[in-house]
Amino acid sequence: MKIIETVKELRNELKPHRQGTIGFVPTMGYLHQGHLSLVERAKQECDTVVMSIFVNPLQFGPNEDLDRYPRDLERDAALAEAAGVDYLFHPSVSEMYPTEILTQVHVEKVTERLCGASRPGHFAGVTTVVTKLFHIVEPQRAYFGMKDAQQVAVIEQMVTDLHFPVTIVPCPTVREADGLALSSRNVYLSPEEREQALILNQSLREAKEKWVQGCFSHADEITEYVRKRIQTKPLADIDYVETLSYPRLEPLGERMGERMIVAVAVRFGKTRLIDNVLLDGRGEETCSVR
Amino acid sequence: MKIIETVKELRNELKPHRQGTIGFVPTMGYLHQGHLSLVERAKQECDTVVMSIFVNPLQFGPNEDLDRYPRDLERDAALAEAAGVDYLFHPSVSEMYPTEILTQVHVEKVTERLCGASRPGHFAGVTTVVTKLFHIVEPQRAYFGMKDAQQVAVIEQMVTDLHFPVTIVPCPTVREADGLALSSRNVYLSPEEREQALILNQSLREAKEKWVQGCFSHADEITEYVRKRIQTKPLADIDYVETLSYPRLEPLGERMGERMIVAVAVRFGKTRLIDNVLLDGRGEETCSVR
């Protein structure tokens, strides 16, 4: 595996590989099994796998955790190499933003709710840096985890709208054995917070089960169910709980959608965690607990 | 020359040419010698030349001339073929915008003045469609005429900021023998308007000459000179006259810039014409008329 720090060097290195398929895994580093599952999928489908590690300042708000976001290149490089990454692109901020950036890529509507509402400017930062990375790497396929379901929806919308010559491959959320979704931010959790944080996945799984059983008559009921379950944990400070259409992420209110997402963001102390579940492919069971 | 109407077909056709250099000339059609000079330059520098003809609704305001913009594909195809275009990409509006577009590329600051001020939303329409076309054609080089100097500045800013793997090649404005800058919109001018429209190039040439001779002490003096000269023509209805830094397009007021542009937009009846001159590489002569 080669570690590369400049755009020019990466483009030169990738030239001979352009005959084959280039797969791309963009990350902010501090790798966990979620990231590595994306590499694994890319290895299966592509000839060359490029991973980027770049903590992108543009997608952090002024009061967010840019400075304390965890970084460990040495550990990341070892994990990436073991997973089979061919090129690890690790540019500096000045390499990615050599001059004042005046251009931004904006996606409307899909960015309005959930993390788009809680983190103003976040998705413009994401779509802008992903555009830059796509132009630098020029992959045929790019891999994103479904823990960031809104990010996947936003990037798929952007790729369609702007005719990017790249296929977005959404991959399943990877979880600890007890159900906690893997996140680089999990390291911040105290043991007590870590324990209570399990309510995210638990409440979402319960909601899906009840939805499959036909226990809910509309989207807002699902939201209320999950909200109440999370509120049983005293350390949980809810940022949002929403049930929306997927991937357009429009509110449903007292309707049901064909394909829905229940998405949550919850603070435990200073640490903000997100998780979600897709409600699609409804089963045939009836509700046993109503 | 092949005329191609779908994204998929164009991508398939271009695949075998990607080993060589692909040059791209985006146009809105109704071709004149200005467009053909771009093709000529592209032929010199590239193995394959792609021209697009697409009257992009996104860059026209609600009260602008989208519907009356002149179109003549048969004539354009003959001219393009004679000039040596290899692929003429002529998509429909629904091919370029198959679904509601939620994504836009925005460039700040460089878009604030001149046509950016007169035509709100115009440059977001331009940068968005150029992004789409670059993603469809994937050229190494793209050719733009300097008559649209702000467009060149905006696109160069976008390409730098977003790391597009393409080189922008600005090409000189092509003029009629009497100095009128070629434009598809010139066909709308009455003989009298056509005659008076010569004041654009005349006043700009005079301004450059006087600037070379050191007759002006700051940018606003240049603006005033050109404005007064244009106002001698009764049919000329000035939209703007400005002298700005180039390519950042910032006002200079009572200063001079190292590199400046004097840019004008003037209506003759319903027809809006633009023209400009760059003030750089100052000569050594002194003013003889002061």
Side-chain angles (χ1 to χ4, degrees):
Chain A
M1 185 185 77
K2 282 197 181 175
I3 302 181
I4 291 181
E5 299 193 340
T6 70
V7 173
K8 195 176 168 185
E9 198 189 342
L10 184 66
R11 282 181 171 154
N12 278 336
E13 287 282 348
L14 290 179
K15 249 180 219 160
H17 299 287
R18 298 225 173 273
Q19 298 284 52
T21 304
I22 295 177
F24 179 43
V25 180
T27 82
M28 299 210 301
Y30 216 73
L31 302 178
H32 52 62
Q33 196 51 45
H35 302 107
L36 301 176
S37 74
L38 305 178
V39 174
E40 199 178 318
R41 178 79 180 270
K43 293 291 288 177
Q44 289 165 17
E45 300 176 347
C46 306
D47 303 307
T48 306
V49 175
V50 180
M51 173 187 276
S52 65
I53 293 186
F54 180 61
V55 182
N56 173 37
L58 211 62
Q59 73 193 64
F60 286 81
N63 299 315
E64 292 183 1
D65 60 349
L66 173 62
D67 291 335
R68 67 190 277 267
Y69 198 86
R71 293 161 168 93
D72 188 342
L73 182 64
E74 208 174 318
R75 181 178 157 280
D76 285 348
L79 288 168
E81 181 155 29
V85 168
D86 298 298
Y87 294 98
L88 182 61
F89 180 50
H90 180 250
S92 64
V93 171
S94 66
E95 179 70 13
M96 288 298 285
Y97 300 104
T99 52
E100 183 195 4
I101 187 162
L102 302 181
T103 309
Q104 292 216 340
V105 180
H106 286 277
V107 178
E108 291 177 350
K109 295 190 181 174
V110 192
T111 56
E112 271 168 21
R113 304 188 74 91
L114 308 180
C115 291
S118 303
R119 305 181 66 185
H122 169 67
F123 281 115
V126 169
T127 45
T128 302
V129 82
V130 168
T131 294
K132 287 160 73 82
L133 290 167
F134 281 180
H135 288 162
I136 293 166
V137 177
E138 296 182 81
Q140 279 82 47
R141 302 174 73 78
Y143 298 80
F144 293 87
M146 277 300 285
K147 183 170 76 78
D148 299 295
Q150 187 175 20
Q151 176 172 274
V152 170
V154 169
I155 288 171
E156 286 195 315
Q157 182 72 42
M158 172 184 88
V159 162
T160 300
D161 284 348
L162 298 183
H163 276 102
F164 272 94
V166 59
T167 301
I168 301 303
V169 185
C171 300
T173 302
V174 178
R175 300 179 180 280
E176 304 280 5
D178 60 11
L180 184 69
L182 296 191
S183 163
S184 304
R185 292 183 171 100
N186 289 350
V187 295
Y188 298 139
L189 298 169
S190 71
E192 206 182 356
E193 289 168 349
R194 171 77 181 69
E195 173 62 31
Q196 296 196 12
L198 294 178
I199 192 63
L200 271 58
N201 178 238
Q202 277 167 13
S203 62
L204 293 168
R205 270 195 299 113
E206 289 166 16
K208 177 152 191 168
E209 204 171 310
K210 288 187 181 296
W211 171 78
V212 167
Q213 293 168 352
C215 299
F216 298 120
S217 58
H218 57 74
D220 282 354
E221 273 184 21
I222 306 174
T223 302
E224 276 321 293
Y225 177 84
V226 172
R227 177 183 299 279
K228 279 182 186 148
R229 288 288 289 123
I230 295 174
Q231 282 170 340
T232 63
K233 300 297 172 183
L235 297 179
D237 173 17
I238 292 177
D239 177 359
Y240 63 72
V241 179
E242 291 200 80
T243 305
L244 305 172
S245 67
Y246 194 85
R248 277 298 289 267
L249 302 179
E250 284 167 331
L252 294 158
E254 304 205 340
R255 290 174 298 131
M256 285 287 212
E258 277 293 296
R259 199 173 175 219
M260 298 186 289
I261 188 170
V262 192
V264 303
V266 179
R267 268 175 233 285
F268 291 88
K270 278 188 177 176
T271 307
R272 182 173 170 281
L273 301 180
I274 61 173
D275 203 347
N276 67 78
V277 69
L278 280 183
L279 305 184
D280 51 4
R282 182 173 188 145
E284 294 302 316
E285 302 152 75
T286 54
C287 179
S288 53
V289 290
R290 206 170 196 171
Chain B
M1 184 186 77
K2 281 197 181 174
I3 301 181
I4 291 181
E5 300 193 338
T6 69
V7 173
K8 194 176 168 185
E9 199 188 341
L10 185 65
R11 283 180 170 154
N12 278 338
E13 287 281 349
L14 290 179
K15 250 180 219 161
H17 299 286
R18 298 225 174 271
Q19 298 284 53
T21 304
I22 294 177
F24 179 42
V25 181
T27 82
M28 299 209 301
Y30 217 72
L31 302 179
H32 52 62
Q33 196 52 45
H35 302 108
L36 301 177
S37 74
L38 305 178
V39 174
E40 199 178 318
R41 177 81 180 270
K43 292 292 286 178
Q44 288 164 18
E45 300 176 347
C46 307
D47 303 309
T48 306
V49 176
V50 180
M51 173 187 275
S52 65
I53 293 185
F54 180 61
V55 182
N56 172 37
L58 212 61
Q59 72 192 65
F60 286 80
N63 298 315
E64 292 183 0
D65 60 349
L66 173 62
D67 291 336
R68 65 191 278 267
Y69 198 88
R71 292 158 168 93
D72 187 341
L73 182 64
E74 208 174 317
R75 181 177 157 280
D76 286 348
L79 288 168
E81 180 153 30
V85 168
D86 299 299
Y87 294 98
L88 182 62
F89 181 50
H90 180 250
S92 65
V93 171
S94 66
E95 180 69 13
M96 288 298 284
Y97 300 104
T99 52
E100 183 195 5
I101 187 161
L102 302 181
T103 309
Q104 292 217 340
V105 180
H106 285 277
V107 178
E108 292 178 348
K109 295 190 182 176
V110 192
T111 56
E112 271 169 21
R113 306 188 72 92
L114 308 179
C115 291
S118 304
R119 305 181 65 185
H122 169 67
F123 282 115
V126 169
T127 46
T128 302
V129 82
V130 168
T131 293
K132 287 161 72 83
L133 289 167
F134 282 180
H135 289 162
I136 293 166
V137 177
E138 296 183 82
Q140 278 81 47
R141 302 174 73 78
Y143 298 81
F144 292 86
M146 277 298 286
K147 183 171 75 80
D148 300 295
Q150 186 174 22
Q151 176 171 275
V152 170
V154 169
I155 288 171
E156 287 194 316
Q157 182 72 43
M158 172 184 89
V159 163
T160 300
D161 284 348
L162 298 183
H163 277 101
F164 271 95
V166 58
T167 300
I168 301 303
V169 185
C171 300
T173 301
V174 177
R175 300 179 180 281
E176 302 281 5
D178 60 11
L180 184 70
L182 295 190
S183 164
S184 304
R185 291 181 172 102
N186 289 350
V187 294
Y188 299 137
L189 298 169
S190 71
E192 207 182 353
E193 289 167 348
R194 171 75 180 69
E195 173 61 30
Q196 296 196 11
L198 294 179
I199 193 63
L200 271 58
N201 178 235
Q202 275 167 13
S203 61
L204 293 168
R205 271 196 296 113
E206 288 165 16
K208 176 151 193 172
E209 204 171 310
K210 287 184 183 297
W211 171 79
V212 167
Q213 292 168 351
C215 300
F216 297 120
S217 59
H218 58 73
D220 281 354
E221 272 184 21
I222 306 174
T223 302
E224 276 321 292
Y225 177 85
V226 172
R227 177 183 300 279
K228 278 182 186 151
R229 288 289 288 124
I230 295 174
Q231 283 170 340
T232 63
K233 300 297 174 183
L235 297 179
D237 173 17
I238 293 177
D239 178 358
Y240 62 71
V241 179
E242 290 200 80
T243 305
L244 305 172
S245 67
Y246 194 83
R248 277 298 290 264
L249 301 179
E250 285 166 330
L252 294 158
E254 303 205 340
R255 291 174 298 130
M256 284 289 211
E258 277 291 296
R259 199 172 176 220
M260 299 185 288
I261 188 170
V262 192
V264 303
V266 179
R267 267 174 234 286
F268 292 88
K270 277 189 179 176
T271 307
R272 182 174 171 281
L273 301 181
I274 60 174
D275 205 345
N276 67 78
V277 68
L278 280 183
L279 305 185
D280 51 3
R282 182 174 188 144
E284 293 303 314
E285 302 153 75
T286 52
C287 180
S288 54
V289 291
R290 207 166 195 172

